[in-house]
Amino acid sequence: MSTKLDSLQAALVQTFGERVSLVQALGEVTLTVKAADYLEVMKTLRDHPALKFEQLIDLCGVDYATYGDGAWDGLRFAAVSHLLSVANNWRLRVRVFAPDDEMPIVASVVDIWRSVNWYEREAFDLYGILFEGHPDLRRILTDYGFIGHPFRKDFPVSGYVEMRYDAEQGRVVYQPVTIEPRENVPRVIREDNYGVK
């Protein structure tokens, strides 16, 4: 298996040189690319005859705010893609960091792989990562009136509002959260002769 990973890594180094950072760990190769080079690198990964990554099988957002118990010193938001080359039987993880933590923007690769459409929408909805050039970047999992991005590390755990259907008004309404915090202490029952024959 390492021979296959070594040949993939060698092909990536030969194609991109110093423009990318490569790490081989846990049986996978991760390619980290700068946001400025992201679109060009992704096109090359698909079109280069030595690589041939025909399929993008996944894309997700990552918030590195508390990564490594706060030891992380890099950019906060990243989009991580998983590519598959059927011709070469290779898998590759590609990571790109958004250069601005306040307004995380990376290029959309929807024109390269159509399968990424909903994945980019999900990363936008849950992490607030904007994909420049996406044809229909809108929420996909949360409600249209939802405020914030729930997978960010600084998102409040309990939330402030809840929604419910009001039969009298005939529509969905938002109201302050009505859940009262409480402590659940499990009741332990011990039998005197438990485990004794």
Side-chain angles (χ1 to χ4, degrees):
M1 179 166 179
S2 64
T3 347
K4 188 189 327 182
L5 293 180
D6 292 338
S7 60
L8 169 59
Q9 193 163 350
L12 291 168
V13 167
Q14 185 178 11
T15 305
F16 298 113
E18 298 295 320
R19 293 189 325 172
V20 298
S21 167
L22 289 170
V23 175
Q24 183 177 335
L26 304 171
E28 296 179 337
V29 175
T30 301
L31 181 142
T32 304
V33 59
K34 295 176 184 166
D37 299 330
Y38 179 57
L39 204 55
E40 181 187 342
V41 167
M42 294 300 260
K43 283 180 185 174
T44 305
L45 286 170
R46 182 194 64 185
D47 298 336
H48 195 282
L51 299 173
K52 294 183 184 176
F53 285 98
E54 306 99 346
Q55 296 181 17
L56 185 143
I57 55 176
D58 190 23
L59 180 138
C60 65
V62 180
D63 183 355
Y64 284 91
T66 59
Y67 184 75
D69 294 328
W72 180 257
D73 193 24
L75 295 168
R76 179 175 176 186
F77 295 103
V80 179
S81 305
H82 293 265
L83 305 179
L84 174 66
S85 171
V86 177
N88 296 317
N89 193 21
W90 285 338
R91 291 178 184 264
L92 177 67
R93 177 186 298 130
V94 180
R95 180 171 62 174
V96 59
F97 284 95
D100 184 7
D101 290 344
E102 297 300 317
M103 180 71 69
I105 300 174
V106 296
S108 173
V109 293
V110 75
D111 290 335
I112 301 171
W113 294 284
R114 300 299 295 169
S115 62
V116 79
N117 188 341
W118 283 14
Y119 296 134
E120 288 182 348
R121 285 181 59 190
E122 180 183 44
F124 160 70
D125 191 6
L126 301 178
Y127 291 95
I129 299 171
L130 300 167
F131 291 91
E132 191 172 33
H134 192 284
D136 187 21
L137 194 61
R138 58 189 163 102
R139 293 191 181 272
I140 192 168
L141 295 173
T142 60
D143 184 52
Y144 293 114
F146 191 86
I147 297 171
H149 304 283
F151 279 12
R152 286 188 174 192
K153 301 291 183 176
D154 55 2
F155 190 78
V157 176
S158 64
Y160 302 111
V161 295
E162 62 186 5
M163 65 178 221
R164 66 174 179 80
Y165 181 76
D166 189 335
E168 292 178 8
Q169 296 182 26
R171 63 183 185 91
V172 173
V173 295
Y174 292 90
Q175 64 188 35
V177 173
T178 57
I179 300 173
E180 296 178 16
R182 61 183 179 163
E183 269 189 45
N184 287 336
V185 179
R187 192 174 104 193
V188 178
I189 302 172
R190 301 203 190 276
E191 297 177 10
D192 293 334
N193 297 325
Y194 181 76
V196 178
K197 291 185 179 184

